[in-house]
Amino acid sequence: MNLVLLVSIFILCIGTSLEGASRSDVNVGAIFSFSTINGKVSSIAMRAAEHDINSDPRILGGRILNITFHDSNFSGFLGMMGALQFMETDTIAIIGPQSAVMAHVLSHLANELRVPLLSFTALDPTLSPLQYPFFVQTAPNDEFQMTAIAEMVSYYGWAEVIAIYSDDDQSRNDVITLGDKLAERRCKISYKSALPPDPTGNETDVTNELVKVRMMESRVIVLITFTKTGLMVFDAAQRLGMMDSGYVWIATAWLSTVLDSKPLLASTKSNSIKGALTLRPHTPDSKRKKDFMLRWNKLSKGSIELNPYGLYAYDTVWIIARAIKLFLDQGNTISFSNNSNLIGLGGGTLNLGALSKFDGGNQFLKNILQTNMTGLSGPIRFSQEIQDRSPLHPSYDIINVVEHGHQLIGYWSNYSGLSVVPPETLYGKPPNCSSSNQHLNDVVWPGGVTAKPRGWVFPDNGRKLRIGVPNRVSYQDFVYKVNGSDIVNGYCIDVFRAALKFLPYAVPHTFILYGDGHKNPNYNELVNKVTTGVSCNLLFNRENDELIYLTYPVILLLQDFDAAVGDIAIVTNRTKTIDFTQPYIESGLVVVAPVRKLNSNAWAFLRPFTPLMWAVTAIFFLAVGAVVWILEHRINDEFRGPPKRQIVTVLWFTFSTMFFAHRENTVSTLGRVVLIIWLFVVLIINSSYTASLTSILTVQQLSSPIKGIDTLMTSNDRVGYQVGSFAENYLIEELNIPKSRLVALGSPEEYTLALLNGTVAAVVDERPYVDLFLSDHCQFSIRGVEFTKSGWGFAFPRDSPLAIDMSTAILTLSENGELQKIHDRWLLKKSCGSETESSQVDSEQLHIQSFIGLFLICGIACFLALFIYFCLTLHQFKRYTPEDPDPSIPRSSRSARLLTFLSFADEKVERMKSKSKRKREDMSITSNGFGKETEPRNGSDRIQRDFSGEE
């Protein structure tokens, strides 16, 4: 109740004191904390703009722009009172508030009373124009600043950052936006450290937070706060040794404000801020800007230096003045009326009914958003999108604090990304934010080093890295424990140790065996023990290896292991929870089965074809010979004669085509077509037979009923797999093989026994194990090809920077040949492995399926030739009349016609011609009696042409 009375009295007093204001004045309010750097600079710049506008009567048509300043003094309550005061005095616009906390509150008031709020310091990215249409940000909001920081983090190759921020609306929302922008670039905020809102923080609060930050492994720190708290953080960081080499500090634009406007203050803090990076809103150089900077000393009387926010303050006043001029030129009048929603609230202690609504507020806001001018800060235009009204092409200078001041190392623009040239020079070119075109100048980092920091470290007082290693009982060439000691050796361990040598830092570690030592461990369980968890009130004390209870929330890694090293396959399900390094050996599932050697013998020449292939080939030889005989029999003397001779001719002709040595000539067109097609088929068959027989006689062959994974999928045979391998899940989930068909095998000896006694038809395992197994077991072989492609890698928690560095080291090992040397030292066996490898390629018998197309073509050709031949013969037979028909057989009898047709088909064409000629002579004599020949009914010449192709 006391608060209500205080507000009412304050409003009434202010309203009475301002009643005498001239109605010809155009009232504009300004709400700032004038004890801050931006508050001081902005007030001077706005007074200068007010003077310049009122000095030119053409701008407001003789009206006077009257800016009333209200000092909120870091108080949200006083800021709200100032806004209410302005609403009672016919204020058409308010510049401010300075903080986003008040902007969220006052924007509701602005929406109701149609009075625009214009701010160049309350740059909270969540102040959406959809929710707050009357709130206008005249400087780029912090979404672009957070994007610039994320681009810098990505440019330098850092994966994690720590965010230290003031716990207020703007800083909190900035951190959320930064996290989103980092995630777009596959980076993240690993820890968020909240400080009391500026200026309520103290050194104790800051120091306590930095102690926690120092225990984190990330060394890239983004400081999102304001001047007082920010400088306090740098002082505490210097005392804690956090401004030494290895650290990276990126401060938001508050630090550039200190450097520009308070150079003396910056010089006293130079040791604590040296090496830090910061951003400054970019304002292009121009003559107007230079003139104003020369004029600044007179305006400020040397009390403070100019910064970009002073330029934005000056331009904001001009935006309002131009909007007023356009508003008046449109024939509008500046008028206010009572808000209907507040009429009922006019009585009582709170005189809310005195708050007036700007009648032309909507049009005035529209005029502001249509601004198109060039100010001290550069071209000023607002995006016309409803969701985004930020100034076009926001950009920032990137500044590095050095020994005696600061240096510009580049720029960031949402148009062109990071560059070393001013953004305005790139606006005429196509936008290009490709990472390959990003560039910044050299930086002097904390500690005075110029080499880019890694961005994370193992703390000097930290515990050793706990690395889980599978306790294998088989295939110990990959990983094994030396008897009677804690030493772990093997191929995988040697690769890991060799990779550590290429890291630019030491990695203290200890190997911890995982498994009971009686059977191979489950690798999925091993990988799951590397995943991370979250605890709210526990922290690991790295000095004495104890868990201590804390009253503040922190993130704690709850995994049993910090990494896993061994023969761990990189499969999809595992990559969902952890990160793997670059594979250091290729792997994949293969099928191993018993094989039988096929040695050369007296009947080896029959192996190229299967029995069915031999049978079909023989049938086609006979069939083609028969077809050619039919087509050639009536016109070719070589295919005529006694039956015995004809059979011998057909057989000789047929099989001699195999060697292209047939003596008989074909004279019919149809016979030649069939023979050409058949000779092509014979050519293919001969070539295939020769190649297959050569392979059989020169290469040792292995025979097995198992041809690959397809054979196992379509059969009901039992399949073996290695205990602990991912092969079990793959066979069940991906290949749908019932679990009842799977048999777990724990060692090479079990493999051998199960394969030889028929317990399993085949074993499915990863290629490195199989290669090692086959080096000592030549009676088995890989059947088919690898049906998965993967590799082995080292497992680390999600987003671990060590995984990236180890991947780089593994690539280095591969390029310099060291990786192959380690492989040969452990896994290259000079036994029957190479022989088995060379015999993996089966020279399989040639099946009928490989030639079915050729046989089909040949068969169709034979059928069509016979069909055409039959049609032509039938056509000739219809014109044929036998010379001496058998009187005992009726002419209409079917058997008589059939016998006549067969006799006709068996006769040679030339003989038929002579018969037809005699008959024709008889008919000629009978018909005219004068010896003149007439055209015969059945022309033998046409018959001759039909079958011989001659006139």
Side-chain angles (χ1 to χ4, degrees):
M1 188 64 183
N2 293 334
L3 177 61
V4 173
L5 290 175
L6 179 61
V7 172
S8 178
I9 294 171
F10 185 84
I11 293 175
L12 291 175
C13 292
I14 294 298
T16 304
S17 64
L18 295 176
E19 283 182 356
S22 172
R23 294 187 178 273
S24 63
D25 290 351
V26 179
N27 295 325
V28 174
I31 303 175
F32 281 87
S33 295
F34 294 114
S35 61
T36 63
I37 294 177
N38 284 338
K40 293 177 182 179
V41 171
S42 299
S43 62
I44 298 172
M46 286 188 286
R47 285 297 185 193
E50 178 188 33
H51 175 270
D52 294 345
I53 292 169
N54 291 332
S55 299
D56 188 351
R58 295 172 299 176
I59 298 175
L60 297 182
R63 290 177 178 260
I64 301 299
L65 180 66
N66 179 31
I67 302 179
T68 304
F69 292 86
H70 177 79
D71 189 357
S72 62
N73 195 26
F74 296 103
S75 171
F77 174 76
L78 293 181
M80 183 175 64
M81 291 300 99
L84 293 173
Q85 165 196 335
F86 293 142
M87 299 303 180
E88 286 191 10
T89 57
D90 296 343
T91 298
I92 67 169
I94 297 175
I95 302 175
Q98 185 172 346
S99 68
V101 177
M102 285 308 304
H104 282 279
V105 177
L106 297 183
S107 292
H108 293 285
L109 183 63
N111 291 346
E112 183 67 28
L113 300 180
R114 300 293 188 266
V115 176
L117 294 177
L118 291 85
S119 180
F120 45 87
T121 55
L123 304 175
D124 188 342
T126 64
L127 287 166
S128 167
L130 293 176
Q131 183 179 8
Y132 307 115
F134 277 81
F135 182 80
V136 180
Q137 293 171 329
T138 58
N141 73 40
D142 283 348
E143 178 182 358
F144 301 105
Q145 188 173 189
M146 297 303 109
T147 303
I149 294 175
E151 287 279 1
M152 293 166 60
V153 172
S154 177
Y155 170 77
Y156 287 112
W158 300 314
E160 297 181 1
V161 304
I162 294 175
I164 301 178
Y165 64 98
S166 295
D167 196 12
D168 57 37
D169 286 355
Q170 180 163 335
S171 299
R172 212 164 29 238
N173 292 329
D174 284 351
V175 171
I176 295 174
T177 303
L178 176 62
D180 294 340
K181 298 302 178 182
L182 288 171
E184 293 174 3
R185 293 155 179 82
R186 302 190 67 181
C187 307
K188 70 173 185 178
I189 299 176
S190 61
Y191 182 68
K192 300 176 182 179
S193 177
L195 300 175
D198 199 78
T200 60
N202 55 59
E203 292 184 359
T204 301
D205 296 331
V206 170
T207 302
N208 289 340
E209 282 299 319
L210 289 185
V211 168
K212 290 186 288 183
V213 169
R214 188 178 62 172
M215 299 178 68
M216 306 296 170
E217 294 180 350
S218 176
R219 287 296 184 262
V220 182
I221 303 171
V222 179
L223 186 55
I224 305 173
T225 181
F226 300 98
T227 303
K228 180 181 178 182
T229 303
L231 293 176
M232 199 180 301
V233 168
F234 277 117
D235 288 340
Q238 185 185 25
R239 292 194 303 270
L240 294 173
M242 299 175 67
M243 294 304 297
D244 296 335
S245 60
Y247 281 89
V248 177
W249 287 85
I250 303 175
T252 49
W254 67 266
L255 181 55
S256 65
T257 300
V258 174
L259 298 173
D260 290 335
S261 298
K262 289 287 188 179
L264 293 178
L265 177 61
S267 63
T268 61
K269 303 288 185 179
S270 61
N271 289 332
S272 62
I273 62 177
K274 187 168 55 178
L277 298 178
T278 184
L279 300 176
R280 175 173 61 197
H282 175 71
T283 55
D285 293 332
S286 64
K287 185 177 184 306
R288 290 189 60 197
K289 176 181 174 181
K290 292 179 180 178
D291 293 341
F292 188 77
M293 293 175 67
L294 294 175
R295 178 185 170 193
W296 181 260
N297 286 333
K298 181 178 178 181
L299 295 172
S300 64
K301 299 178 182 179
S303 61
I304 195 169
E305 298 295 329
L306 179 64
N307 66 42
Y309 293 102
L311 305 178
Y312 284 116
Y314 184 91
D315 288 344
T316 300
V317 177
W318 273 94
I319 290 173
I320 294 174
R322 285 176 175 269
I324 293 172
K325 183 179 186 304
L326 180 59
F327 183 81
L328 297 175
D329 291 344
Q330 292 169 341
N332 300 307
T333 58
I334 298 176
S335 61
F336 295 83
S337 60
N338 293 330
N339 190 318
S340 59
N341 294 329
L342 300 177
I343 292 177
L345 303 176
T349 56
L350 281 175
N351 189 18
L352 298 179
L355 300 178
S356 56
K357 176 181 178 180
F358 184 17
D359 296 329
N362 289 326
Q363 182 60 46
F364 185 61
L365 174 64
K366 184 178 180 180
N367 292 347
I368 290 174
L369 298 178
Q370 291 179 346
T371 298
N372 187 357
M373 70 178 202
T374 300
L376 299 182
S377 60
I380 301 174
R381 282 186 299 163
F382 295 98
S383 173
Q384 298 304 308
E385 296 182 9
I386 298 177
Q387 298 88 348
D388 178 21
R389 292 197 311 220
S390 60
L392 295 181
H393 301 322
S395 54
Y396 292 88
D397 301 336
I398 302 177
I399 296 172
N400 177 210
V401 182
V402 293
E403 184 71 31
H404 300 292
H406 58 275
Q407 62 179 358
L408 182 68
I409 64 168
Y411 307 87
W412 177 88
S413 168
N414 75 324
Y415 185 83
S416 56
L418 301 173
S419 67
V420 293
V421 296
E424 57 271 15
T425 63
L426 303 174
Y427 293 152
K429 301 178 181 179
N432 190 350
C433 296
S434 173
S435 59
S436 61
N437 295 325
Q438 307 297 287
H439 187 63
L440 293 175
N441 290 325
D442 294 336
V443 177
V444 178
W445 304 99
V449 300
T450 56
K452 184 200 76 172
R454 291 193 314 274
W456 74 282
V457 295
F458 288 104
D460 292 337
N461 60 347
R463 60 176 174 83
K464 292 183 178 181
L465 204 67
R466 294 167 53 87
I467 299 178
V469 176
N471 189 9
R472 296 195 58 87
V473 296
S474 63
Y475 296 114
Q476 293 189 346
D477 298 80
F478 297 103
V479 177
Y480 73 95
K481 178 184 178 183
V482 178
N483 292 332
S485 69
D486 294 331
I487 300 175
V488 180
N489 280 330
Y491 166 71
C492 301
I493 302 302
D494 276 9
V495 172
F496 180 76
R497 287 170 175 160
L500 290 181
K501 296 178 181 178
F502 286 93
L503 298 184
Y505 49 87
V507 181
H509 62 276
T510 180
F511 293 117
I512 302 174
L513 290 172
Y514 176 75
D516 56 13
H518 300 293
K519 64 179 181 179
N520 294 332
N522 187 299
Y523 280 64
N524 288 331
E525 295 177 359
L526 171 61
V527 167
N528 289 335
K529 292 185 176 295
V530 184
T531 57
T532 59
V534 178
S535 175
C536 293
N537 294 93
L538 293 174
L539 181 66
F540 192 86
N541 187 339
R542 297 179 184 269
E543 294 182 356
N544 54 19
D545 289 350
E546 294 180 354
L547 287 174
I548 57 175
Y549 185 82
L550 302 176
T551 58
Y552 43 81
V554 296
I555 297 177
L556 173 66
L557 302 184
L558 297 176
Q559 73 269 24
D560 292 343
F561 303 123
D562 299 306
V565 170
D567 46 335
I568 304 172
I570 304 173
V571 296
T572 303
N573 289 337
R574 295 171 184 173
T575 58
K576 294 178 181 179
T577 56
I578 62 173
D579 281 350
F580 281 96
T581 61
Q582 173 80 15
Y584 57 87
I585 187 174
E586 292 184 358
S587 180
L589 293 178
V590 293
V591 176
V592 179
V595 292
R596 177 173 57 88
K597 293 183 180 181
L598 296 177
N599 298 318
S600 298
N601 55 44
W603 300 100
F605 68 92
L606 294 176
R607 288 184 191 168
F609 291 162
T610 62
L612 179 60
M613 179 65 184
W614 280 116
V616 172
T617 303
I619 291 172
F620 262 84
F621 269 104
L622 296 175
V624 170
V627 170
V628 173
W629 180 83
I630 293 172
L631 297 176
E632 295 289 325
H633 179 66
R634 300 188 67 199
I635 60 177
N636 194 336
D637 289 334
E638 295 182 359
F639 288 89
R640 298 187 64 81
K644 183 177 179 180
R645 177 186 172 189
Q646 292 302 299
I647 293 174
V648 172
T649 300
V650 170
L651 293 176
W652 168 257
F653 175 82
T654 296
F655 291 104
S656 63
T657 57
M658 181 184 299
F659 311 102
F660 307 98
H662 51 284
R663 297 176 302 175
E664 293 77 11
N665 294 322
T666 54
V667 296
S668 68
T669 303
L670 294 175
R672 289 173 178 175
V673 170
V674 170
L675 184 59
I676 289 174
I677 295 175
W678 174 242
L679 291 178
F680 175 73
V681 174
V682 170
L683 175 65
I684 300 300
I685 292 175
N686 280 345
S687 301
S688 303
Y689 176 86
T690 302
S692 182
L693 183 61
T694 302
S695 177
I696 289 174
L697 297 178
T698 57
V699 180
Q700 177 184 335
Q701 299 298 304
L702 301 177
S703 175
S704 171
I706 305 298
K707 305 302 180 184
I709 189 63
D710 293 336
T711 305
L712 296 179
M713 292 175 61
T714 56
S715 69
N716 293 320
D717 297 330
R718 294 168 69 84
V719 181
Y721 67 92
Q722 184 181 174
V723 174
S725 172
F726 77 95
E728 178 185 11
N729 291 336
Y730 186 88
L731 293 173
I732 296 174
E733 298 174 3
E734 300 296 333
L735 303 184
N736 298 319
I737 295 178
K739 189 174 183 180
S740 59
R741 289 179 52 195
L742 302 182
V743 178
L745 304 172
S747 65
E749 292 73 20
E750 292 185 21
Y751 284 17
T752 304
L753 185 61
L755 289 170
L756 292 179
N757 63 20
T759 303
V760 297
V763 172
V764 173
D765 206 351
E766 295 179 67
R767 185 60 179 264
Y769 301 124
V770 171
D771 288 343
L772 209 59
F773 172 72
L774 294 180
S775 65
D776 297 323
H777 300 82
C778 302
Q779 65 271 42
F780 308 107
S781 175
I782 295 175
R783 309 303 295 167
V785 296
E786 293 184 21
F787 53 94
T788 66
K789 290 292 184 181
S790 62
W792 291 353
F794 305 133
F796 292 90
R798 176 71 75 180
D799 299 325
S800 171
L802 188 56
I804 299 175
D805 291 348
M806 287 294 289
S807 293
T808 304
I810 291 172
L811 288 174
T812 304
L813 287 174
S814 177
E815 292 171 357
N816 64 18
E818 184 64 25
L819 192 61
Q820 185 62 40
K821 293 178 181 178
I822 298 174
H823 176 275
D824 294 344
R825 184 166 62 249
W826 284 97
L827 306 180
L828 187 61
K829 303 295 182 180
K830 296 181 180 180
S831 184
C832 61
S834 58
E835 179 183 348
T836 305
E837 181 71 22
S838 65
S839 64
Q840 289 177 10
V841 181
D842 275 333
S843 179
E844 301 286 357
Q845 288 182 308
L846 298 175
H847 295 266
I848 186 64
Q849 289 82 357
S850 303
F851 301 92
I852 193 169
L854 288 173
F855 287 133
L856 184 62
I857 294 173
C858 184
I860 293 174
C862 291
F863 174 79
L864 291 177
L866 289 176
F867 178 77
I868 295 172
Y869 176 80
F870 176 77
C871 291
L872 292 174
T873 305
L874 188 62
H875 176 71
Q876 296 300 326
F877 178 71
K878 289 181 179 180
R879 300 181 180 182
Y880 171 72
T881 301
E883 184 179 27
D884 298 315
D886 188 351
S888 63
I889 302 177
R891 297 189 57 153
S892 60
S893 172
R894 291 184 179 179
S895 59
R897 296 290 293 173
L898 178 60
L899 290 175
T900 304
F901 176 77
L902 294 176
S903 176
F904 171 80
D906 184 59
E907 290 184 5
K908 191 176 180 182
V909 172
E910 292 181 356
R911 182 181 176 188
M912 291 179 60
K913 180 179 179 181
S914 63
K915 290 181 180 180
S916 298
K917 183 177 180 180
R918 290 195 302 269
K919 183 178 179 181
R920 192 165 52 244
E921 291 174 352
D922 294 341
M923 291 176 62
S924 174
I925 295 173
T926 303
S927 62
N928 52 32
F930 294 98
K932 183 183 289 186
E933 292 185 344
T934 59
E935 184 70 21
R937 187 175 182 181
N938 294 330
S940 61
D941 290 343
R942 186 178 302 168
I943 295 175
Q944 175 68 19
R945 286 195 300 268
D946 287 341
F947 290 97
S948 66
E950 300 177 355
E951 290 292 336

